[in-house]
Amino acid sequence: SVQLYAEKEMLRMKSVFEGVKIKDPANKKAEEFHSFAQNYYHDALYFYKERKYEESFEAFIIAWAYIDIGLKLDFFTVPEEHKKWFTA
């Protein structure tokens, strides 16, 4: 069900946000990407709480995409065990 997919992404993204680090805090673009990702993550949590599981899942995926792109642009680091979740 969509609820299970949203729940799976919620757990994964919680772990991602506990481990993602901005390489250069002075880099405004890196800060912006991180902020976008966090905003989508918080929106996803809100949608999940409201039982809007499809919207929640979509917002988690968009948050993931911002982190993935940020990794490709060398804005972020993630723990080694999280690298399997990204294309970078």
Side-chain angles (χ1 to χ4, degrees):
S1 77
V2 177
Q3 180 182 0
L4 292 176
Y5 284 115
E7 188 173 335
K8 178 182 169 192
E9 288 306 310
M10 179 172 52
L11 295 173
R12 180 171 74 144
M13 292 309 296
K14 179 181 185 293
S15 184
V16 165
F17 277 103
E18 288 171 354
V20 68
K21 301 284 185 256
I22 297 173
K23 281 189 172 183
D24 178 7
N27 182 332
K28 295 297 180 202
K29 283 290 178 195
E31 277 290 331
E32 189 175 37
F33 267 68
H34 190 264
S35 178
F36 288 154
Q38 278 191 315
N39 289 340
Y40 275 103
Y41 175 68
H42 291 297
D43 287 348
L45 292 173
Y46 170 79
F47 289 137
Y48 190 87
K49 183 179 159 218
E50 294 295 313
R51 302 176 137 208
K52 295 181 177 181
Y53 301 120
E54 189 170 324
E55 291 91 337
S56 176
F57 177 76
E58 291 169 351
F60 283 127
I61 295 302
I62 294 169
W64 170 86
Y66 271 107
I67 299 297
D68 194 50
I69 294 165
L71 286 166
K72 286 182 187 286
L73 294 172
D74 205 30
F75 289 166
F76 308 135
T77 63
V78 293
E80 194 64 38
E81 65 269 16
H82 292 176
K83 289 182 179 179
K84 66 182 179 238
W85 295 330
F86 296 99
T87 62

